[in-house]
Amino acid sequence: MSLRKLVIVMLSLMIMAPVYAADGMEEKVGRVYDFSGSRTEQIGLTIRYKLKTEPEVFFKGIHVPVRVLFAKVDADINWGHTSKVATIKKKGKRLVITQNKNYAPSEDEVLWPREWAIVEDGMTKISLPYLAYIFDRYAKHSEGAEASKWKEALLFLGIEHMDNLDSSPKDKTLHSFVTFK
């Protein structure tokens, strides 16, 4: 290969590099789901556990209360009033949701990112699009990708998969169906 061709190839790769740069979860989830509220105004949540499907429940915005999401699952859900820490404990592991940036999780804990949750009206709520992206039934997350790592870390919660139907153009709703094992 001539020096000229090599330089052209190298320049092309440098120009195209941003296209192949790894995106963070925020960017990836943001490309799939509307966080602005301009298109999606509510979440319609349906939970299936032990072959029983609960009626769809609606929540304004993109956040779903932890207690509602895990209410029917065999898990211990706790709220530390003084520590402001919500936990979901199952199979000896705990998912920890807190706005405390200094919280240091123990070995048996998975710390949910502060940016993916809110405390509102006295309830801890998670941003459902992140969970929907991680457990999407048809998503093919590559090995080593952040979504794959999250899915592996959260398997103890018993989420088998999630099906999501974005009917925002029709009714401004993201319908999310969570199936627990």
Side-chain angles (χ1 to χ4, degrees):
M1 181 182 285
S2 73
L3 182 60
R4 183 171 187 255
K5 285 183 181 178
L6 181 61
V7 169
I8 290 171
V9 168
M10 295 297 285
L11 286 173
S12 297
L13 289 173
M14 288 172 51
I15 291 168
M16 293 172 55
V19 173
Y20 298 107
D23 288 330
M25 283 283 289
E26 287 78 12
E27 290 85 8
K28 289 181 178 182
V29 175
R31 283 196 298 263
V32 178
Y33 300 103
D34 173 35
F35 285 100
S36 69
S38 63
R39 191 179 81 230
T40 303
E41 292 180 358
Q42 64 181 354
I43 299 282
L45 182 66
T46 304
I47 296 173
R48 182 170 177 82
Y49 181 63
K50 292 187 176 179
L51 303 177
K52 184 175 183 334
T53 303
E54 298 294 320
E56 187 173 28
V57 181
F58 293 90
F59 302 95
K60 186 169 176 60
I62 59 166
H63 295 93
V64 174
V66 170
R67 285 202 183 270
V68 173
L69 183 59
F70 295 100
K72 302 292 181 183
V73 181
D74 295 329
D76 293 325
I77 304 167
N78 292 301
W79 167 252
H81 185 69
T82 53
S83 64
K84 306 280 192 255
V85 175
T87 60
I88 298 96
K89 183 177 180 181
K90 187 172 181 176
K91 295 182 179 179
K93 292 192 84 172
R94 294 189 325 160
L95 174 62
V96 177
I97 305 165
T98 182
Q99 292 300 309
N100 179 353
K101 57 183 146 196
N102 297 320
Y103 188 89
S106 64
E107 227 175 85
D108 65 337
E109 294 178 331
V110 176
L111 184 60
W112 188 259
R114 286 182 308 117
E115 301 80 15
W116 301 359
I118 62 171
V119 176
E120 182 180 71
D121 301 327
M123 291 182 276
T124 300
K125 299 177 179 182
I126 64 165
S127 179
L128 194 71
Y130 287 101
L131 201 62
Y133 183 81
I134 292 166
F135 284 98
D136 186 299
R137 181 198 302 236
Y138 301 105
K140 301 290 184 225
H141 304 299
S142 61
E143 189 177 322
E146 190 174 0
S148 292
K149 291 175 184 176
W150 272 108
K151 187 173 186 175
E152 186 175 323
L154 298 173
L155 284 176
F156 73 95
L157 295 172
I159 299 172
E160 187 174 312
H161 63 267
M162 291 178 71
D163 291 307
N164 302 288
L165 172 62
D166 187 357
S167 65
S168 295
K170 179 180 169 191
D171 62 3
K172 297 196 175 277
T173 304
L174 171 64
H175 299 276
S176 197
F177 304 86
V178 185
T179 301
F180 286 91
K181 294 177 189 172

